Structures are given as structure tokens and as C-alpha cells.
């Protein structure tokens, strides 16, 4: 007969996943910054395309 025994610990009961909190609407300042960044990116792309058109092909 063993001199000691180990207590069997059962794993915690899994519950249904909690409902995710609804996302907060973005702030006005962050929306403004995003618009500015998008416009700047578009302008940079247009400038890049214009530079490529202006380059003369190498002979």
C-alpha cells in the first residue's frame, strides 16, 4: 500500500466565450489624420508616376 497519494486536480470548466465589447467609434482627430495621410499617399503616387513619364528611355 502506498505511503502517500496525489490529489487529482480537474481542469477548469470552460465556459462559453464572452461577447466581445463593441468597438468604440474612432475619434474625430484620428479620422482627420487618416484622411490627410491618404491624400498625401495618393499625391506621392501621382508624383511618382509623373516622374516616370518624364524620364526619357535610355538608349
Amino acid at each position: 500500500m502506498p505511503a502517500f497519494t496525489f490529489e487529482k486536480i480537474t481542469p477548469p470548466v470552460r465556459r462559453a466565450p464572452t461577447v466581445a465589447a463593441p468597438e468604440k467609434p474612432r475619434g474625430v482627430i484620428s479620422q482627420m489624420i487618416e484622411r490627410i495621410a491618404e491624400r498625401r499617399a495618393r499625391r506621392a503616387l501621382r508624383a511618382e508616376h509623373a516622374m516616370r513619364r518624364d524620364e526619357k528611355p535610355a538608349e
Side-chain angles (χ1 to χ4, degrees):
M1 189 158 159
F4 58 89
T5 59
F6 291 100
E7 180 182 342
K8 186 172 184 180
I9 301 174
T10 58
V13 178
R14 291 193 177 222
R15 297 186 181 129
T18 58
V19 178
E23 291 186 23
K24 294 170 94 176
R26 295 189 66 177
V28 175
I29 294 175
S30 59
Q31 289 176 355
M32 289 173 54
I33 292 172
E34 189 166 324
R35 285 185 200 146
I36 291 169
E38 286 177 6
R39 289 177 185 156
R40 184 176 287 178
R42 284 189 204 134
R43 203 176 312 134
L45 278 174
R46 274 189 265 154
E48 186 178 315
H49 287 293
M51 285 175 42
R52 287 182 183 173
R53 278 185 287 170
D54 292 343
E55 291 177 358
K56 292 183 180 178
E59 293 180 18

